[in-house]
Amino acid sequence: MFGTTLLLALRSIRRHILRSFLTILGIVIGVGAVVTMVTLGKATTAAVQSQIAALGTNILQIRPGQGFGRGGGGPRPPDFTPEDVTAIATQIAGVTAVAPQAQASATAIYEGANWSTTINGTTAAYFQVQPWPLASGRYWTTPEEQAGKAVCIIGNTVRQNLFRGGEAVGERFRLGDVSCDVIGTLSTRGQAGFGGDQDDVVIMPIKAVQRRFTGSRDIRLMLVGVDQRYQTAGVQSAITDLLRERRTITDGREDNFNIFDTKQISDTLTGTTTALTRIVAAVAAISLVVGGIGIMNIMLVSVTERTREIGIRLAIGAVANEVLLQFLVEAVVLSCLGGLIGLVIAQAVIAGLTPLLDVPWTFDPQINMIAFAISAVIGVVFGYFPARRAAALNPIDALRHE
Amino acid sequence: MASDAASLIALRNVTKVYGQGATQFQALKGVDLDIAAGDFVAVMGPSGSGKSTTMNILGCLDVPSAGTFLFRGHHVETLDRDERALLRRRYLGFVFQGFNLLSRTTALENVELPLLYRGDEKRARRATAMAALEKVGLDRWWDHTPAELSGGQQQRVAIARAIVTRPDVLLADEPTGNLDSERSVEIMELLTDLNRESGITVLMVTHEPDMAAFARTVVHFKDGLVERIETQHAQGEKVS
């Protein structure tokens, strides 16, 4: 009986192809919207997470000043000293390494090509805190670091622009007024979420940068690696206590430095994008329900319009349940068809939008299955009422219907 | 008139009341009617005489308010909606004045419809439906939709649909009402052939004496009662 009903439903859909298309339009748009929104939302979350992961997890960033936007007025808080770095590295439990950073910018020149870039002066600890594999060459040695030699490791963007993508290791180029030997090139990291191009950088021993570019021993930024077995919050408060003491901040006065926990930022941003995804998905889900009501509308109109047909079927000997099942199956087939078309359209839209939004292309089988299942359920729920109405018709009245 | 035992259909003191209270209308006031298997019956009478109501009851589309309706010895008035539907599926075929074919559906698919509900498998269904179309002389038009067929052809398709399940009774409600006289005669000849060759009992409502003349028995209704029953031996020759 079910096979017959399915055949009848398919014939009926084929006979009214335009009406069928209009019926499912709402479901197509609803399913398409839900799948697109959820997939893009998840892709954005994943992109944010991977960008933060690139900054390194379990890393504390310590800067002078009171955090974003609150440093205005008063004298500029002092930078850190190499002694601060040693103190944190040796006195705090759970710290694996502390990398001081001194930054400068300069124009790099090589055989007529020039490129404006950022110089990042640091120590070998930098690569320990935040692993960054080399594409070629080597890291600097301890004697080179201690002597502050003008050796540098360059990011891929600098290599592309200065050396035209050719071999750079072993070459010598001019960085501002300084002649500099390339000893290594870094692997590509790509765009950072909020820091621009991470590969546009020249990394040198901090002493070289301090002596030849910034002209002071000041350290603007410390990266502290935290052992996986320790809570970053505990390490953070220990460092706060130590630095307050070293910077002679009396009780009751605010810190003149700030410590950022990258994990905390990661959690916050992930939470935000997840919440946004949910909101957008909820809006899209409303359109799915509206689509279901659309199906019910058209099916009800269809029952009225096909009253005589129903009368013929009843006269021929269809029992009420067969008429009910036919209309129900029609509604479910239509809504499932709408769901499938919606899924296909969603994939096309996602494929088109991911490069524009700069998020990775993903296929989430779960949301696709859920959206399809919902479209089937909508068919049953919103198809039942019109179907029951059709089945309840009196054959004599139905046959007389104009 | 056949005796009770041989009757395919027997109505006993059947009444039908529509509405309630002041608007109550008694369509049938105690109809007694026997129809023998293999008969060709024309039902005549002015509108409001009760002939359509009687046909609806005989077609198992409606139930009497009181009285009994025996079909093949079974009490139809006690059956529920679905049981009557199954009875129609098995024993009855319908032909309507307005043809009532499914639009945008080929002649073959229209004729197949009762077989679908009966649950025939595809190949048998096709063959049976084509045979029925052949019987009404439209096998070459099997893939045409009603819109592509003339009125007479549409009614032939409808007849094919009605007889495709080899029913005991063919109920025709003004089958020639929408056709010109030439097509009407063709349809009546087809019904006569089916009655004679296949032994199908034909019940036909008509108000045209020319059409009623094809029948063997003519039942006249008036004011909710059977007024008189005529038996005709040959076309156009009446014996009261």
Side-chain angles (χ1 to χ4, degrees), chain A residues 315, chain B residues 53-62 69 84 88 92 94 171 203:
Chain B
T53 306
T54 306
M55 282 297 272
N56 286 339
I57 290 171
L58 292 178
C60 302
L61 294 166
D62 207 349
F69 167 25
R84 280 184 280 121
R88 291 197 293 273
L92 307 181
F94 289 88
L171 293 110
L203 299 182

Side-chain angles (χ1 to χ4, degrees), chain A residues 14-334:
Chain A
R14 194 192 62 200
R15 276 201 291 276
H16 305 101
I17 202 78
L18 180 65
R19 187 178 68 196
S20 302
F21 172 72
L22 292 175
T23 308
I24 64 174
L25 202 54
I27 295 288
V28 170
I29 293 169
V31 167
V34 166
V35 172
T36 306
M37 292 306 165
V38 171
T39 306
L40 288 181
K42 283 194 169 178
T44 308
T45 307
V48 168
Q49 277 171 337
S50 76
Q51 283 165 356
I52 290 167
L55 293 179
T57 50
N58 288 318
I59 295 176
L60 300 175
Q61 295 186 354
I62 311 176
R63 285 188 174 81
Q66 288 173 331
F68 295 126
R70 283 189 60 202
R76 188 166 163 262
D79 289 342
F80 305 109
T81 63
E83 288 74 32
D84 291 330
V85 176
T86 315
I88 293 170
T90 54
Q91 293 175 29
I92 309 282
V95 170
T96 54
V98 182
Q101 272 184 262
Q103 290 193 328
S105 28
T107 304
I109 299 164
Y110 175 79
E111 287 183 354
N114 61 78
W115 181 252
S116 229
T117 188
T118 306
I119 307 164
N120 187 356
T122 186
T123 64
Y126 180 78
F127 298 103
Q128 204 181 328
V129 172
Q130 197 179 24
W132 193 345
L134 293 179
S136 64
R138 61 179 177 88
Y139 296 110
W140 58 70
T141 62
T142 314
E144 279 171 337
E145 179 179 306
Q146 280 167 352
K149 288 195 74 170
V151 290
C152 55
I153 299 169
I154 61 173
N156 193 46
T157 305
V158 177
R159 191 174 77 90
Q160 293 297 334
N161 288 287
L162 208 56
F163 297 96
R164 311 267 179 250
E167 184 53 59
V169 175
E171 297 297 316
R172 175 173 288 190
F173 69 103
R174 221 152 55 90
L175 192 57
D177 298 330
V178 181
S179 188
C180 191
D181 289 318
V182 180
I183 58 167
T185 56
L186 293 160
S187 57
T188 310
R189 260 192 183 173
Q191 293 285 327
F194 14 69
D197 184 0
Q198 297 185 92
D199 297 319
D200 187 7
V201 71
V202 173
I203 300 178
M204 293 177 79
I206 186 164
K207 280 188 181 162
V209 175
Q210 287 172 332
R211 195 185 306 145
R212 299 171 200 242
F213 294 95
T214 65
S216 75
R217 294 174 70 231
D218 294 343
I219 294 163
R220 294 289 299 163
L221 170 67
M222 290 187 285
L223 296 180
V224 178
V226 179
D227 192 315
Q228 297 282 352
R229 290 164 293 183
Y230 286 78
Q231 291 288 321
T232 49
V235 174
Q236 187 175 347
S237 74
I239 293 172
T240 305
D241 291 344
L242 178 69
L243 284 177
R244 282 180 73 90
E245 195 187 311
R246 291 184 62 83
R247 290 160 84 94
T248 58
I249 301 164
T250 50
D251 286 351
R253 291 190 58 197
E254 284 185 58
D255 300 344
N256 62 1
F257 59 93
N258 65 76
I259 304 178
F260 262 105
D261 185 346
T262 50
K263 190 167 180 297
Q264 205 180 320
I265 303 172
S266 162
D267 289 348
T268 310
L269 283 175
T270 305
T272 310
T273 51
T274 307
L276 276 173
T277 304
R278 286 198 186 130
I279 292 168
V280 174
V283 172
I286 291 170
S287 72
L288 202 50
V289 173
V290 172
I293 293 168
I295 282 210
M296 182 160 76
N297 266 329
I298 307 262
M299 290 304 287
L300 276 174
V301 170
S302 168
V303 167
T304 310
E305 192 187 283
R306 289 159 67 186
T307 300
R308 193 196 273 266
E309 176 199 322
I310 295 164
I312 296 167
R313 292 181 187 280
L314 290 169
I316 279 171
V319 298
N321 271 340
E322 285 168 332
V323 174
L324 182 127
L325 204 60
Q326 184 193 334
F327 275 78
L328 200 56
V329 167
E330 258 187 69
V332 173
V333 166
L334 280 175

Side-chain angles (χ1 to χ4, degrees), chain B residues 144-227:
Chain B
H144 286 61
T145 62
E148 298 163 352
L149 297 171
S150 72
Q153 287 172 321
Q154 287 186 54
Q155 194 60 300
R156 282 166 181 274
V157 174
I159 291 170
R161 183 181 64 189
I163 61 164
V164 74
T165 55
R166 301 186 168 278
D168 287 6
V169 183
L170 181 70
L171 293 110
D173 189 0
E174 307 243 15
T176 59
N178 285 10
L179 302 174
D180 61 38
S181 54
E182 203 175 325
R183 304 289 153 249
S184 296
V185 169
E186 283 174 19
I187 291 295
M188 290 317 300
E189 282 169 349
L190 178 59
L191 290 178
T192 308
D193 285 351
L194 288 169
N195 174 250
R196 275 191 200 139
E197 286 161 24
S198 310
I200 297 177
T201 309
V202 178
L203 299 182
M204 173 183 75
V205 171
T206 184
H207 58 257
E208 294 169 78
D210 290 352
M211 301 303 132
F214 283 88
R216 204 170 297 131
T217 307
V218 182
V219 180
H220 292 270
F221 273 80
K222 196 178 179 187
D223 297 332
L225 287 166
V226 176
E227 187 191 33

